[in-house]
Amino acid sequence: MKCLLLIMFFTVVSAQALDLSPLFSDHMVLQQQTAVPVWGTAEPGTAVVVKSEWGETAETRADQDGHWFVELETVQADGPFTLTISAFNDTIRIQDVMLGEVWLCSGQSNMEMPLAGWPPADTVRHSAREIRSADYPRIRMFMAARSVAMQPKNEISGSWKPCTPETAFAFSATAYFFALNLYQQLDVPIGLLHSSWGGTPVQAWMDAEALRETGEFLKVLDALQEGDEKIKAYNRWLEEKETIKVPNRDLDKFWAQLDFGQTVVADPEFDDSQCNTMELPQTWEDTEIGAFDGVVWFRRSIDIPKAWKDRELTLQLGPVDDMDATFFNGTEIGRLQQNGAWQVNRTYHVSAEQVKTGSNVIAVRVIDTGGGGGIYGEPKQMKLFPKDQPEIALPLSGDWAFLPTAEFRGNTFYLFDVNPPDFYSKPDLPFVVGPHTPSMLYNGMIAPLTPYRIKGAIWYQGESNTGNPDQYAQLFPQMIRTGGRTGESGIFRSILYRSPRMITGLRLNHSACVKRKCRR
């Protein structure tokens, strides 16, 4: 009997699961001099107490689903403080909490670009000097992980980082200079909620109800409702796959260790007749793959003339969006796997020992983490020729076999089977749902932030809507009026739109992005 009672006691204790959104974590900034929402989960019916070191307390009970929500009064900008949340015998202490001004920073690549830029082509002028001097620990950034969702989400992934020379390189450059300007003028802590995604249109950042009020994208919104079960089936299929999480740092080292079917698909003996074909060069968004982020292999056989035997060759592909590893007859001849490589023309050398007369196989693994993807340059850029005779080049543009081997969603790769390839037998979708789909980014990356009290928002976007400026002129004001529906003017209730006057010291080298309508 004593043993039974002991088991029952521990069962009760383990059920008291107090949890918070990642928004409420060490180094966070709360909006000063207002009532700030704090929320989380606990055992249904449990009393929850939120106590601040500045002297304010708020209490509530978790509802029948385990959710709880309070509003806590804040005082004038100051800190650091400790925030203590208690429920039954669970306690969470949040350290280094600052009170100050909180701003949402959202949009596409012009907001997403980090202070370090995207070397080698997209850079921020004097960024190295700026990063070395970026010792402003009272400026903090919460970077929301990329997320696409069918319905508005409550959860979001991310963490708060104080601005130091060790962390500033990853801060949004636009948001950093905006925050620095505020900090120097106001001398208060600044909190930045950074939620952006390169190459995305405004309609993806608006909630479905607001879009319907404009009369735009009604067919897409209806299709999303009607195809909800098919999309859920696809998501269930995806969730059964093995996954690889992308870390926050040391990405260049991380990319180098990935395989994504390399040992099978790069092999010249791999049977690519089971794969569909794609005409290259072009971005795969313009093909049957559609709005897809992830890993796609391209393969092509090419006949080498007898005169080329025992000669070193040069292989040119043009630019690859974003990263590639390239193989000739199963041997890797080069790779460019780093952030910012999407504009760089690929030129690799094939040693004479690798060349044989007759059929030779070229295999290219492309990793794309957002925006356009694929081998996308001009046909004349894709060619193979003896190193010392470029005038007799063999063209490589045309049909290539392709095989997607992983999908990238929310900082996670979902791995597909390679042999046989299961990408072609995946559950049918009414259309590809991705970061360009109306309402998807609002649901995944704005809705979870809407309860968080902010001073205003900065927005840097528009290139992805240049094809229809009249429509954008209607959508953008609607987003400001209704975004988030928190208060009379929504979460975007104070907008800075492409205002270089407020971004002191920032100069973006983004001409190539603009030429491509900012597919990034």
Side-chain angles (χ1 to χ4, degrees), residues 300-450:
R300 175 163 179 168
S301 297
I302 186 166
D303 288 333
I304 298 294
K306 291 182 180 180
W308 291 16
K309 190 177 188 305
D310 298 326
R311 299 179 67 180
E312 185 177 352
L313 306 182
T314 298
L315 172 67
Q316 294 183 345
L317 296 172
V320 178
D321 193 345
D322 294 305
M323 297 172 275
D324 78 289
T326 299
F327 301 79
F328 192 89
N329 289 332
T331 299
E332 183 175 327
I333 59 172
R335 64 170 60 199
L336 189 49
Q337 295 189 150
Q338 65 186 53
N339 290 329
W342 65 279
Q343 298 179 66
V344 180
N345 292 329
R346 271 44 167 197
T347 298
Y348 300 127
H349 299 289
V350 184
S351 66
E353 303 81 52
Q354 296 171 260
V355 181
K356 63 180 183 178
T357 58
S359 180
N360 292 254
V361 176
I362 302 169
V364 184
R365 184 189 69 196
V366 178
I367 301 175
D368 173 60
T369 58
I375 303 172
Y376 70 89
E378 299 294 330
K380 63 183 180 181
Q381 294 178 284
M382 300 185 68
K383 54 191 175 183
L384 179 71
F385 54 88
K387 182 179 180 182
D388 56 351
Q389 283 189 286
E391 69 274 8
I392 61 171
L394 293 174
L396 297 178
S397 59
D399 287 341
W400 288 61
F402 74 88
L403 177 61
T405 59
E407 182 168 348
F408 185 64
R409 288 190 180 189
N411 276 15
T412 300
F413 284 102
Y414 296 83
L415 307 184
F416 301 155
D417 294 335
V418 174
N419 200 7
D422 64 355
F423 173 80
Y424 299 112
S425 59
K426 66 184 185 300
D428 291 333
L429 286 170
F431 50 85
V432 177
V433 174
H436 295 78
T437 308
S439 77
M440 293 296 101
L441 297 185
Y442 168 81
N443 292 338
M445 299 178 66
I446 296 298
L449 302 175
T450 53

Side-chain angles (χ1 to χ4, degrees), residues 46 113 200 262 271 300 307 349 386 433 505:
T46 303
M113 174 181 266
T200 53
Q262 173 178 314
D271 180 14
R300 175 163 179 168
H349 299 289
V433 174

Side-chain angles (χ1 to χ4, degrees), residues 73-124:
E73 295 291 332
T74 59
V75 295
Q76 189 173 0
D78 202 354
F81 297 107
T82 296
L83 196 64
T84 303
I85 301 93
S86 303
F88 191 52
N89 63 342
D90 283 356
T91 299
I92 297 175
R93 289 183 176 84
I94 304 174
Q95 309 289 343
D96 190 29
V97 178
M98 306 297 289
L99 303 183
E101 301 286 80
V102 182
W103 287 77
L104 172 68
C105 315
S106 189
Q108 59 181 101
S109 60
N110 290 324
M111 182 65 74
E112 185 181 38
M113 174 181 266
L115 188 55
W118 289 311
D122 272 357
T123 57
V124 178

Side-chain angles (χ1 to χ4, degrees), residues 161 164-170 246-254:
K161 300 289 185 184
T164 69
E166 291 71 38
T167 62
F169 75 97
V246 177
N248 292 325
R249 302 193 64 171
D250 298 324
L251 281 179
D252 291 350
K253 187 182 298 183
F254 172 76

Side-chain angles (χ1 to χ4, degrees), residues 202-208 210-211 214 438-439 442 475 478-479 482:
V202 67
Q203 59 267 23
W205 295 97
M206 299 174 63
D207 70 87
L211 282 171
T214 69
S439 77
Y442 168 81
L475 295 176
Q478 176 74 347
M479 184 195 71
T482 62

